Amino acid sequence: MTLPSGREMPLLGFGTWQITGEEAVRATTAALSAGYRHLDTAHVYENEGEVGRGIRDSGVRREDIFITTKIPPGRADQHRETLERSLELLGVDHVDLWLIHWSVDDEVHADLWRALQEARSDGLAGDIGVSNYSVPQLDRLAEVTGEMPAVNQIEWSPLLFEPDVLAAHRERGVVLEGYSGLRGGVLEHEAVVGLARQLGRTPAQVVIRWHLQHGVVVIPKSREPNRIRANVEVGSFALDPAEMAVLDALGAHAAPE
């Protein structure tokens, strides 16, 4: 996906939530070795330093890696210090994407957004966006600040598929990035398991491929090198329209939380 800065954001990235310590170093290195060129972390994950070590250990050039991190709204008063600390831990002079991690009490956090805009102007972030925002929140933020976020990272999977939400992001020029795409029981769902068996693929590969064919950024995570490699090996097959429709339909049948 091409972002406003002109940067190319890989549709397939590696998520690092809940991966910490030496395990995060190994997982990051394994992901880059397997071919991932998009890494997702956050201030609250407390693993930016380990992700940075993994990048250095991998030998992959910084300019070939798309790096995302996030700031919690509670650190709005320390926004510059938070970003500078993230950069120090990651061992880079800028991130490719900086996100507001979530909203509090349906706020759009316009002041924090302006701080993100300032960081971008100063060259510390290539593009800026949000996470866990609703479509109405995107509109309110744009109305107040004059700019729509480049990216909105939200929970997304076939079980949560809402075509109207996807269409709304596209209409606004906002890249929809999905997280927790392999959670929530989707890998055990009979429709996913059946398609995987039919195609000779893993359930995770089927779900990842579904994201890619919808033009939705997906950031699967794993601690296991074999799964890390398998999750990136999705370029040699495609889901046909009927198979996509089967997975799309799961959203309509997902149990409400």
Side-chain angles (χ1 to χ4, degrees), residues 13-27:
F14 183 69
T16 65
W17 177 56
Q18 293 184 325
I19 308 177
T20 57
E22 290 301 317
E23 196 170 46
V25 179
R26 292 192 296 270

Side-chain angles (χ1 to χ4, degrees), residues 154-205:
I154 60 176
E155 190 173 5
W156 195 256
S157 83
L159 298 181
L160 301 173
F161 179 63
E162 294 184 67
D164 291 348
V165 171
L166 180 56
H169 281 74
R170 287 177 173 161
E171 290 166 2
R172 290 158 176 76
V174 178
V175 173
L176 195 159
E177 179 176 10
Y179 69 81
S180 294
L182 305 182
R183 293 167 58 86
V186 68
L187 298 184
E188 294 77 37
H189 195 286
E190 60 182 357
V192 175
V193 173
L195 278 177
R197 186 180 302 115
Q198 175 184 324
L199 295 167
R201 298 287 173 171
T202 69
Q205 288 173 328

Side-chain angles (χ1 to χ4, degrees), residues 42-55:
H43 172 81
V44 299
Y45 296 173
E46 298 185 345
N47 65 7
E48 290 170 312
E50 289 77 9
V51 170
R53 284 174 52 202
I55 291 171

Side-chain angles (χ1 to χ4, degrees), residues 21-156:
E22 290 301 317
E23 196 170 46
V25 179
R26 292 192 296 270
T28 300
T29 304
L32 292 170
S33 176
Y36 292 86
R37 291 297 181 266
H38 171 185
L39 301 173
D40 180 270
T41 184
H43 172 81
V44 299
Y45 296 173
E46 298 185 345
N47 65 7
E48 290 170 312
E50 289 77 9
V51 170
R53 284 174 52 202
I55 291 171
R56 292 189 291 277
D57 289 353
S58 75
V60 177
R61 300 185 305 168
R62 163 66 185 97
E63 56 265 36
D64 293 332
I65 306 171
F66 187 99
I67 302 173
T68 299
T69 194
K70 315 176 194 76
I71 180 172
R75 293 193 63 83
D77 291 342
Q78 299 106 1
H79 54 83
R80 183 53 67 100
E81 295 93 330
T82 301
L83 179 55
E84 289 175 349
R85 180 57 175 162
S86 291
L87 297 178
E88 179 184 358
L89 290 169
L90 288 164
V92 299
D93 61 7
H94 73 280
V95 290
D96 299 283
L97 181 63
W98 197 28
L99 306 178
I100 299 175
H101 204 159
W102 63 81
S103 67
V104 176
D105 297 330
D106 199 37
E107 291 291 328
V108 297
H109 303 289
D111 289 343
L112 180 53
W113 179 252
R114 294 187 182 98
L116 267 66
Q117 291 175 314
E118 180 182 329
R120 181 185 57 193
S121 296
D122 292 344
L124 302 181
D127 287 277
I128 55 177
V130 296
S131 182
N132 298 298
Y133 274 45
S134 66
V135 172
Q137 284 178 306
L138 295 176
D139 288 340
R140 282 169 26 219
L141 180 61
E143 181 180 356
V144 172
T145 66
E147 181 182 6
M148 189 68 72
V151 174
N152 185 23
Q153 186 184 110
I154 60 176
E155 190 173 5
W156 195 256

